[in-house]
């Protein structure tokens, strides 16, 4: 070996240098077994969110079939052993035949198209470690690749809530992909509409101007019964009402119909199934499936909102309030009860009678002594109050003879007119109606017990309008 240049190393190696041969590119080690098995041994997963709705259109399926014919299966299906799957989901055991050995976790579309492409065997990647997490995998796969319907999305969220015990906030953070917690809550809440054909089709066609998922959530939060969602929506559209007003009218109509027609006994009803005579009347009328509520608590429907917030509509509540309302629901994903308890019927009827008393007070309002300080206070109140309160106050004023509010179809336009004008008496009248509406909406809010403001509102109506409180209200007035 020649000597180095001046200043270089003078050491000469005694033995020749051995070079280790390594591949230029080292391929990653493939995961799973990568085995090829007959198609009849592979079963679709019963928990797949899409079910039979694998393809958005038939042309996409034709393209998949053509690709499998030309190139074969490029990417293996991710599967788990049937025994491993059933160990985590025993309720799905009957979905598999003795020939099934694997359950698909990822690759349902490829499995569906393979027979038409002439494939009799498919390569699978067995990953049993994912058997306990198929719900989150399905949600992840479908939300990233294809848009789920609002019901499929809600079912995925419901499963994570039920099986993992996650809150709606945790679901949104892990699998919401930028979606808000309230979206998770609303998608779960409208799941009962899947069983109501007309409501389901209307929600699914919401892109064409029908019932949107958010509006469906607002309505079902008010009426609670999925069967009443479409009648309420139709009344909202026909009479230009909000969900609270339309829902209450529909519920009152049903209550009156129940009073006028005797209940039809179920064919299976017998003396053995009748409640014991020793039970009280309330115990006999309350439902046995958890619908019975404590009247002393005042929170009669487990946190569900049947009225409006004091200033905003139901769908404008904070995320914390929405989560609290719905995380107490059953694992079926339905926070709604299909029947009203006796207490709830009393509350709905009392709401309607109180509103009539408020409207009477607005109608009998007399022009007060206009004071500059009072007018300024009224103007500040009108500017800061919520839109829901303004809407209810405007409704009462519109039904009063010779009221200027009749000329304004928009409540906010009428408020702007009053605030911009110089009529102090008119401003005080509107402020009085708004004060009544604000307290009345608070009284109709079922998410909290009646507080001192609600009780004060009841007592004012009793004194000023001769309002007769219901038995449910009387327990708080003692």
């Amino acid at each position: 070996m020649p000597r180095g240049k001046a200043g270089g190393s003078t050491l000469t190696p005694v033995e020749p240098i051995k070079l280790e041969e390594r591949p230029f590119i080292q391929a990653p080690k493939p995961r799973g077994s990568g085995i090829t098995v007959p198609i009849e041994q592979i079963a679709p997963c019963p928990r797949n969110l899409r079910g039979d709705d694998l393809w958005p259109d038939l042309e996409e399926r034709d393209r998949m079939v053509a690709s499998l014919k030309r190139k074969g299966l490029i990417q293996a299906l991710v599967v788990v052993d049937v025994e491993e799957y059933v160990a985590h989901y025993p309720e799905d055991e009957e979905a598999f035949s003795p020939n099934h050995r694997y359950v698909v976790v990822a690759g349902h579309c490829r499995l569906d198209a393979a027979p038409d492409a002439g494939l009799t065997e498919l390569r699978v990647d067995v990953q049993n470690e994912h058997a306990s997490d198929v719900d989150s995998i399905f949600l992840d796969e479908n939300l990233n690749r294809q848009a789920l319907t609002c019901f499929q999305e809600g079912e995925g969220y419901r499963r994570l809530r039920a099986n993992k015990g996650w809150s709606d906030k945790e679901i949104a953070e892990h699998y919401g992909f930028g979606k808000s917690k309230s979206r998770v809550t609303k998608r779960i809440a409208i799941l009962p509409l899947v069983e109501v054909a007309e409501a389901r089709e209307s929600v699914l066609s919401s892109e064409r101007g029908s019932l949107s998922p958010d509006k469906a959530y607002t309505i079902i939060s008010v009426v609670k019964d999925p069967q009443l969602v479409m009648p309420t929506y139709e009344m909202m559209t026909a009479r230009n009402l909000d969900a609270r007003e339309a829902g209450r009218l529909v519920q009152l109509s049903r209550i009156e119909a129940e009073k006028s027609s005797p209940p039809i006994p179920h064919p299976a009803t017998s003396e053995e199934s009748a409640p014991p005579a020793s039970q009280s009347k309330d115990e006999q009328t309350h439902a046995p499936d958890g619908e019975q509520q404590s009247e002393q608590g005042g929170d009669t429907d487990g946190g569900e909102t049947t009225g409006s917030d004091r200033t905003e509509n139901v769908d404008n509540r904070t995320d914390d309030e929405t989560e609290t309302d719905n995380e107490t629901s059953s694992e079926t994903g339905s926070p709604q009860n299909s029947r009203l308890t006796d207490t709830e019927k009393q509350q709905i009827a009392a709401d309607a009678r109180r509103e009539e008393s408020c409207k009477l007070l607005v109608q009998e309002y007399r022009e007060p002594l206009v004071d500059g300080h009072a007018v300024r206070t009224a103007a500040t109140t009108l500017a800061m109050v919520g839109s829901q309160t303004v809407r209810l106050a405007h409704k009462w004023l519109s039904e009063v003879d010779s009221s200027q509010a009749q000329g304004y179809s928009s409540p906010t336009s009428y408020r702007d007119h009053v605030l911009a004008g110089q009529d102090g008496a008119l401003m005080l009248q509107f402020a009085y109606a708004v004060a009544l509406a604000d307290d009345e909406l608070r009284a109709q809010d079922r998410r909290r017990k009646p507080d001192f403001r609600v009780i004060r509102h009841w007592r004012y109506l009793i004194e000023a309008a001769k309002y007769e409180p219901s038995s449910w209200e009387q327990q708080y007035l003692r």
Side-chain angles (χ1 to χ4, degrees):
M1 182 173 181
R3 296 173 59 86
K5 295 182 180 180
S9 174
T10 59
L11 297 177
T12 302
V14 179
E15 297 181 358
I17 300 174
K18 296 181 179 180
L19 300 177
E20 181 180 356
E21 294 184 2
R22 295 181 180 179
F24 182 69
I25 299 178
Q26 186 172 2
K29 183 179 180 181
R31 295 184 60 193
S33 57
I35 59 176
T36 300
V37 300
I39 289 182
E40 56 267 20
Q41 294 183 4
I42 309 172
C45 183
R47 301 184 71 83
N48 184 18
L49 292 174
R50 291 194 175 276
D52 297 331
D53 184 27
L54 288 176
W55 307 94
D57 55 66
L58 295 179
E59 293 182 0
E60 185 170 343
R61 187 179 188 279
D62 293 340
R63 287 193 293 269
M64 174 67 77
V65 171
S67 175
L68 291 174
K69 284 182 179 180
R70 292 194 309 268
K71 302 178 181 179
L73 183 66
I74 299 175
Q75 182 180 6
L77 279 63
V78 178
V79 300
V80 297
D81 292 328
V82 169
E83 294 80 6
E84 190 72 22
Y85 177 89
V86 171
H88 291 90
Y89 308 100
E91 66 273 15
D92 295 337
E93 184 175 7
E94 296 182 357
F96 307 110
S97 70
N99 294 330
H100 289 147
R101 296 184 57 188
Y102 307 100
V103 185
V104 176
V105 174
H108 283 85
C109 290
R110 283 166 280 165
L111 175 64
D112 181 69
D116 289 351
L119 301 180
T120 58
E121 295 181 332
L122 293 176
R123 186 162 47 89
V124 298
D125 186 3
V126 183
Q127 299 186 17
N128 286 330
E129 64 270 22
H130 294 313
S132 62
D133 206 29
V134 295
D135 291 329
S136 59
I137 291 175
F138 287 144
L139 198 59
D140 190 5
E141 287 280 321
N142 287 287
L143 285 177
N144 274 310
R145 295 184 179 181
Q146 301 179 28
L148 294 168
T149 69
C150 59
F151 297 119
Q152 292 169 341
E153 185 180 341
E155 175 61 20
Y157 296 146
R158 184 201 66 80
R159 292 178 183 177
L160 292 179
R161 182 199 278 180
N163 297 332
K164 292 185 175 293
W166 287 359
S167 67
D168 294 354
K169 182 177 181 180
E170 291 172 325
I171 295 173
E173 290 174 349
H174 286 81
Y175 295 100
F177 305 103
K179 298 176 175 62
S180 65
K181 178 181 66 176
S182 62
R183 179 186 178 97
V184 175
T185 300
K186 292 177 181 179
R187 291 298 186 269
I188 296 175
I190 64 174
L191 283 176
L193 297 184
V194 173
E195 305 300 328
V196 184
E198 185 180 6
R200 180 184 67 245
E201 296 304 319
S202 184
V203 171
L204 292 177
S205 63
S206 60
E207 297 83 4
R208 298 192 294 272
S210 297
L211 182 61
S212 67
D214 285 352
K215 187 170 291 186
Y217 167 77
T218 301
I219 297 173
I220 202 169
S221 297
V222 172
V223 300
K224 301 201 308 179
D225 188 346
Q227 299 290 342
L228 299 183
V229 169
M230 285 308 296
T232 301
Y233 174 65
E234 292 168 356
M235 181 170 290
M236 289 171 62
T237 305
R239 299 178 57 177
N240 194 26
L241 302 175
D242 62 13
R244 183 193 62 83
E245 295 171 319
R248 191 195 65 206
L249 292 176
V250 170
Q251 287 175 318
L252 284 172
S253 299
R254 187 174 73 164
I255 292 172
E256 293 300 323
E258 290 176 353
K259 290 180 179 179
S260 60
S261 58
I264 302 176
H266 192 275
T269 302
S270 63
E271 294 182 359
E272 296 179 358
S273 61
S278 60
Q279 286 184 333
S280 66
K281 181 179 180 180
D282 289 340
E283 290 175 338
Q284 294 179 15
T285 55
H286 286 174
D289 55 354
E291 292 178 8
Q292 181 176 354
Q293 305 295 337
S294 170
E295 292 189 1
Q296 297 297 328
D299 196 2
T300 58
D301 51 1
E304 277 300 317
T305 301
T306 56
S308 168
D309 196 2
R310 59 186 297 265
T311 56
E312 298 297 333
N313 207 340
V314 179
D315 55 347
N316 291 329
R317 292 178 291 168
T318 64
D319 285 342
D320 291 338
E321 291 171 336
T322 305
E323 181 180 5
T324 302
D325 287 349
N326 291 277
E327 285 184 356
T328 57
S329 62
S330 64
E331 292 187 359
T332 60
S334 170
Q336 285 77 27
N337 298 321
S338 60
R339 290 172 292 177
L340 293 172
T341 65
D342 290 343
T343 300
E344 289 170 330
K345 292 178 181 179
Q346 284 187 35
Q347 291 170 333
I348 293 170
D351 291 344
R353 290 188 292 108
R354 283 199 311 272
E355 285 204 26
E356 288 298 321
S357 297
C358 290
K359 186 173 69 173
L360 177 64
L361 291 176
V362 171
Q363 185 173 4
E364 294 179 348
Y365 183 83
R366 295 295 177 262
E367 182 175 330
L369 178 62
V370 178
D371 176 78
H373 297 292
V375 171
R376 183 173 180 83
T377 302
T380 303
T381 301
L382 292 176
M384 297 181 63
V385 76
S387 59
Q388 187 75 2
T389 304
V390 173
R391 184 182 298 112
L392 184 56
H394 176 265
K395 173 178 176 290
W396 294 339
L397 288 167
S398 299
E399 296 172 356
V400 174
D401 295 336
S402 69
S403 172
Q404 294 187 18
Q406 295 176 348
Y408 292 84
S409 59
S410 170
T412 54
S413 297
Y414 180 65
R415 176 173 62 177
D416 294 342
H417 163 72
V418 173
L419 289 174
Q422 301 297 321
D423 192 338
L426 181 63
M427 191 174 298
L428 289 174
Q429 181 193 32
F430 196 12
Y432 175 72
V434 161
L436 285 175
D438 196 43
D439 285 341
E440 178 56 32
L441 290 176
R442 189 179 185 89
Q444 295 181 17
D445 191 346
R446 303 289 186 260
R447 289 174 295 140
R448 54 176 66 89
K449 295 180 181 179
D451 58 10
F452 73 95
R453 282 189 55 183
V454 173
I455 296 174
R456 183 185 63 189
H457 175 63
W458 291 345
R459 287 174 175 164
Y460 177 75
L461 295 182
I462 293 171
E463 179 183 355
K466 308 304 179 187
Y467 170 69
E468 296 183 2
S470 64
S471 58
W472 177 80
E473 293 167 319
Q474 288 174 357
Q475 63 183 323
Y476 294 97
L477 294 169
R478 297 191 184 103

